[in-house]
Amino acid sequence: AQSVSQHNHHVILSEAASLELGCNYSYGGTVNLFWYVQYPGQHLQLLLKYFSGDPLVKGIKGFEAEFIKSKFSFNLRKPSVQWSDTAEYFCAVNSNTNAGKSTFGDGTTLTVKP
Amino acid sequence: EPEVTQTPSHQVTQMGQEVILRCVPISNHLYFYWYRQILGQKVEFLVSFYNNEISEKSEIFDDQFSVERPDGSNFTLKIRSTKLEDSAMYFCASSLLAGGTQYFGPGTRLTVL
């Protein structure tokens, strides 16, 4: 069974600080990895995804994530956060089997102080 | 850019009533999903649907739940007899491929009184 673990439940940063949100997954086969963002009162939006190839993927709004297969990790990073990055961030995995259902982590609430 | 739409945005119902949540997936997508998010909790998988049948369902998706694709565009989630604990945000998603990127709708907030 797939599982996803996000280590940080709530992160508080000042503007311009660097961000790294941890994500570890557990699955026996090949996975696809995603980060979604949910701004207050809004729906889930895809930030970035990894299927194969270069393990460093770049997404929208200056976010990037690195897939480290040996560590089963897919951490999200941003060198300099902005107040508008305040949101909930979800790591998710799916695979090409079991109809591709996604398994989400618990989410990390990011608060950026202006 | 095509997007997944959901109606209504907010549904309030009495316990024991039936509700139908509606979704219009992206038109060329083949895989359809329902997820729910109880307030303050993570997004949980409910059911996946492909080729006019359920591919997989979670233990949450009991006999009170059903899904249907009544025509070529809509994908519905029915809760036969709602319970208080069904109160949540329900998200529909669709993807072109199994394991592909899932695109989520804006959600329907269901409140059961």
Side-chain angles (χ1 to χ4, degrees):
Chain A
Q2 296 169 175
S3 68
V4 178
S5 174
Q6 291 182 241
H7 318 298
N8 320 98
H9 295 295
H10 194 176
V11 173
I12 302 173
L13 295 172
S14 298
E15 275 195 313
S18 65
L19 169 73
E20 180 159 2
L21 301 181
C23 172
N24 286 89
Y25 68 92
S26 171
Y27 182 64
T30 303
V31 294
N32 305 312
L33 298 148
F34 306 85
W35 275 97
Y36 290 90
V37 61
Q38 188 176 32
Y39 296 104
Q42 296 190 27
H43 62 102
L44 291 162
Q45 297 175 40
L46 182 69
L47 267 182
L48 46 78
K49 59 190 176 186
Y50 173 80
F51 289 143
S52 64
D54 188 344
L56 184 63
V57 291
K58 294 190 184 301
I60 60 171
K61 305 184 187 214
F63 287 91
E64 64 178 34
E66 185 175 12
F67 171 53
I68 302 179
K69 191 173 179 180
S70 60
K71 295 184 178 180
F72 298 91
S73 70
F74 189 57
N75 292 354
L76 181 72
R77 299 195 291 250
K78 185 170 183 179
S80 176
V81 295
Q82 301 171 307
W83 175 79
S84 57
D85 293 324
T86 295
E88 184 106 19
Y89 292 81
F90 293 94
C91 181
V93 302
N94 69 18
S95 73
N96 298 337
T97 58
N98 60 26
K101 73 168 188 182
S102 290
T103 300
F104 285 78
D106 287 340
T108 297
T109 302
L110 172 65
T111 302
V112 180
K113 295 181 176 178
Chain B
E1 186 177 320
E3 56 184 26
V4 177
T5 59
Q6 290 184 243
T7 54
S9 56
H10 193 182
Q11 173 94 46
V12 180
T13 190
Q14 296 289 327
M15 191 168 59
Q17 295 296 303
E18 174 184 287
V19 294
I20 298 176
L21 310 183
R22 291 183 165 80
C23 168
V24 179
I26 294 173
S27 61
N28 64 334
H29 283 186
L30 302 175
Y31 294 83
F32 313 110
Y33 308 86
W34 283 101
Y35 295 84
R36 79 170 186 193
Q37 184 181 29
I38 294 172
L39 188 64
Q41 297 186 26
K42 68 176 173 183
V43 178
E44 301 173 289
F45 168 77
L46 290 178
V47 66
S48 58
F49 192 85
Y50 169 72
N51 202 25
N52 280 322
E53 60 183 26
I54 290 174
S55 308
E56 185 174 356
K57 56 185 181 179
S58 72
E59 57 193 28
I60 301 168
F61 194 89
D62 61 22
D63 292 343
Q64 294 300 314
F65 291 86
S66 62
V67 288
E68 199 177 35
R69 189 153 161 81
D71 52 43
S73 59
N74 290 283
F75 180 50
T76 61
L77 174 70
K78 183 194 291 187
I79 309 175
R80 219 177 318 277
S81 177
T82 50
K83 307 193 249 316
L84 295 176
E85 54 264 38
D86 293 327
S87 294
M89 184 74 98
Y90 288 80
F91 292 105
C92 173
S94 70
S95 65
L96 183 59
L97 304 169
T101 303
Q102 292 177 15
Y103 293 88
F104 285 79
T108 293
R109 180 167 297 287
L110 175 65
T111 303
V112 182
L113 302 175

